[in-house]
Each structure stands twice: as C-alpha cells, then as structure tokens.
Amino acid sequence: MRRSFTPVGVLLVLALFSHVPRLIKGSSPCKRANSAAIRPHSVSITEFGAVGDGVTLNTKAFQNAIFYLNSFADKGGAKLFVPAGQWLTGSFDLISHLTLWLDKDAVILGSTNSDDWPVVDPLPSYGRGRELPGKRHRSLIYGRNLTDVVITGDNGTIDGQGSNWWNWFHTKTLNYTRPHLVELMNSSGIVISNLTFINSPFWTIHPVYCSQVIVQNVTIRAPLDSPNTDGIDPDSSDDVCIEDCYISTGDDLIAIKSGWDEYGISYARPCRNIIIRRLVGQTRTSAGIAIGSEMSGGVSEVHAENIQFYNSNTGIRIKTSPGRGGYVRDIYISNITLTDVKIAIRFTGHYGEHPDEHYDPEALPTVERITIEDIAGDNIQYAGILEGIEGDSFLNICLSNITLNITSKSPWNCSYIQGYSDSVSPETCEPLRESISPYHYSDCYNLSSHLLNSSNQNRGTWFLSW
C-alpha cells in the first residue's frame, strides 16, 4: 500500500518522535541489586568487643571494625556482619567497598544520648541546618566520598529510637537540626536493600550529591504523628532507583529535593533520572510522593509507576515558592491507586519556608511538563488543588485517564496553571479542560501509548499508519 504524506502529518510525526528517543534510550538506574555479592574479607562486629544486649554502647566497636576493614578496600572489599542481638551505637562512618550486613534478628539501635550523634557543618546547598540556623547532627550511619557501598541483610532492623528527638523538637530544646538515620554524601554505587528502618529522628534515608543509588525492598516505619520523619529523600542526586518498598511515616514517603533557595541555586546540583516503582504506604500529614519544597537546584526526569497510597493526606505533591528558583520539569507519574486520601494531586506555589532573609523573592521556579495518568481513587475528598504562582504559571500539566470517587462538592481548585486533559472524572478545572490532541504531544511529557493509539483511531489521519 502506498502511503500519503501531507506536510502537516509529517511535521506532527517529527514533533512526536523528536521527543520520544531520549525517553526510550535513557539508561534506567534500576537493576536487580546483587546485595549478596561475596566480599573476600568478612568479620563480625563481635570480634571487636561489641555486646548485643541493647544497653552496652558499641560505637567504638563499629568504628574499630570499619577502620580494620578499610585495609581491604583495594583487595575486593569487605563485609561487616552484625549477628542477632540489639546493638546500641552512636553515629559511625562507612567506607568504600563495604557491605554492612544485618542478620534476621539483628537490630542496630541509635543511642538516645544526643552527644553520641556528632555535630557537623550544614549542607552547602542548604546553607544552614534544615530546622535551625547553624550546624546539624550527623546521621547514625554516615558516609561521604564513597563508592561501592551496600547496606543490606536478611531483613534486620535499624532503629533510630527517635522519640527523644521528637520530644526535643516539640519542646524547642534542640540546638541543632536533628539527624537522619542514614545519610550518604558525594558517593556512588550505593545499594540499600532487604532491611527495616524504624523511628528515625528526622528524614530516614538521605542520599545527597550521590549517583547510582538503589533502594530496594525496604520497609520504613515511624509513628504517623512523628515530625518530619520522611521515608526516602533523594537530594541533588542522579540515577536513583526506589522500588518494592513499604513506607509509613509522619511526613512525605518520598521527597525529591535539590537545595534551598539561594544556596541551592548557587550549588546548582540537580536531582534527575529518578525511578520510583511498586511503592506502598501511608502518611496522614503529608504526601506519598513529593517534589520539593527544596528544589532550587532543579528536579527533572522523575518516573513513578505502580504506586498505592492509603489513609493519607495527599497522593502526589509539588511544593515550591518564589525565592526557590530552579525548575521541576519532565515528571511522569502513572498507574496510581489511592484509597482514603484527602487530596489526590496537589501543587503548592507558595510553600514559603526560607533559610534566611537573603533569598531573592524574584527567583521564580519553572514548573512544566508534568504528566499524570492512569489514576484510580476511592473515598477522595479533593481531586486536585493546583496552585501556581501569579506571573509564573505552571505549564503543560497533562492529566489523562483519571477516575476518582470524590466526596467534596468542589473537586478541583486551580490557579495559575495551564495544560490539557483527557478522560478525567470528575471533570477537571477550566485551565486544563482543553483535550489532549496530537498537537500537544510534544508538550505532554512521556504520554503513554494507549492515549497515542486512541488519538490515532479517533482523530483521523494525523498519524501515519505503517
């Protein structure tokens, strides 16, 4: 059969496929982690005098063991084995080419004495502690400038024993920002898998300025009313994979970040190529997946799919503010199931919270090319509260194949946004009611093939039939 090519048809096809190759050819950071890789050298923490009674402080034992294993870093690496027991410790450093392995009944307990969590400088992309001006407490498990680090086991537990920190936060008796449970800085080749993390003093897992990070098959829990106990926060990092996780905490389950106002703009380290899939969880106060609010270095190429959130405040949220600068672009979220969630989709353009008075209120963020599709929700109060910034509208917001059972009489509230929609129930707000047509595919990031095929069938001969 001879094909007919009209000028308009050719231009549409070229526009469509000029957008597709980088999505298809981009390398995925997800791969099945070989967390059981054999290290040629292995020791048990008990060989360094550690006592797993939940009372004896084992900080020195962890430090000495890792210092000893450092001599094997250039000989294939080493494994530190933590057997069954309750191993109380303060903060300790990891090294490159190390596997930290927790046995099934092993529990690493964070000390309840704040003196066992050293005070360190703030992150340069934040300029100060996230909660208080000045410095911050170092995480329980910490590492910087590392490569090839595995934190894994047979579903052992790392318990931050965060209740003291939460009380100090509520009573405003802290001198420095609370510590994370695990923080890795300026590192690459990181695998965190097959473990349970509970009761973090602050954010739970925080890779910052990192590359090639896999967080796989972990459970993260903290009381639903615990303050700011985020689950996993990729921060100014690239090539990050988060998959097969269950998270139930007092703040965002996943929060993607890249620095805070003028400090993040100056540091200029974006967060990009983030894959999130097969995630289940709940948060009564915050969002299942959040971007921001600290996003001044930029966030792009985030793909999330096969997600279930229940008993939560918000499903998907983007948070930013004048003064942030930076950008959030090329975000694709699909195949989401929501149950008993207050707000399915929320964009907040005036989140506020600035590190100091030196931020530039004219540094406006760019939010564009956000595609959300294949969403089902039951007992949802609001479908969307989408609030951009006057004079800085959020652009090319594309919603497709969304069906929500809404309890509110006003399902959508939108301002300063622009975009398109297709098959959204209840009907979306006026700025998004223009149907997604072939002319919009270059605007709608990574729009799925089922909508493409539907457009081909229902909208005539714009697409070439091969």
Side-chain angles (χ1 to χ4, degrees), residues 212-287:
Q212 301 168 16
V213 178
I214 295 176
V215 182
Q216 194 176 77
N217 192 30
V218 303
T219 296
I220 299 174
R221 292 185 286 106
L224 294 174
D225 60 352
S226 56
N228 311 110
T229 50
D230 294 19
I232 305 169
D233 288 11
D235 196 342
S236 292
S237 295
D238 55 86
D239 298 335
V240 177
C241 175
I242 300 167
E243 61 180 2
D244 301 309
C245 296
Y246 173 82
I247 307 176
S248 174
T249 66
D251 209 324
D252 298 323
L253 307 185
I254 306 289
I256 301 168
K257 302 175 181 291
S258 66
W260 198 8
D261 284 8
E262 70 269 27
Y263 303 103
I265 294 171
S266 175
Y267 197 77
R269 173 73 189 263
C271 210
R272 58 170 297 276
N273 198 20
I274 313 296
I275 306 296
I276 305 165
R277 57 191 188 187
R278 298 186 298 277
L279 171 69
V280 179
Q282 63 170 332
T283 169
R284 288 180 185 168
T285 61
S286 300

Side-chain angles (χ1 to χ4, degrees), residues 295-375:
M295 41 60 67
S296 301
V299 175
S300 68
E301 296 168 77
V302 176
H303 288 214
E305 62 180 359
N306 300 327
I307 313 291
Q308 298 180 47
F309 298 134
Y310 65 95
N311 188 32
S312 295
N313 182 276
T314 305
I316 306 300
R317 190 173 188 186
I318 295 175
K319 300 180 282 187
T320 186
S321 183
R324 292 290 192 269
Y327 55 84
V328 175
R329 64 166 65 105
D330 295 349
I331 311 298
Y332 176 73
I333 298 171
S334 72
N335 194 15
I336 312 294
T337 300
L338 306 174
T339 306
D340 301 325
V341 172
K342 182 178 178 182
I343 306 167
I345 305 167
R346 187 170 189 181
F347 299 166
T348 304
H350 288 274
Y351 195 78
E353 290 195 337
H354 303 288
D356 53 40
E357 70 277 10
H358 301 302
Y359 75 94
D360 177 6
E362 300 301 318
L364 299 178
T366 297
V367 178
E368 62 182 358
R369 289 165 53 80
I370 315 295
T371 296
I372 302 175
E373 66 174 343
D374 298 335
I375 313 295

Side-chain angles (χ1 to χ4, degrees), residues 438 441 450-465:
Y441 278 103
H450 80 79
L451 189 55
L452 178 69
N453 292 334
S454 174
S455 298
N456 181 27
Q457 295 169 3
N458 298 332
R459 296 188 175 101
T461 60
W462 70 273
F463 188 48
L464 303 179
S465 174

Side-chain angles (χ1 to χ4, degrees), residues 413-441:
N413 185 337
C414 302
S415 58
Y416 308 115
I417 65 166
Q418 173 273 324
Y420 315 98
S421 63
D422 188 276
S423 301
V424 176
S425 176
E427 186 179 24
T428 188
C429 49
E430 183 63 34
L432 301 180
R433 283 184 185 168
E434 183 177 353
S435 296
I436 302 173
S437 77
Y439 296 95
H440 302 141
Y441 278 103

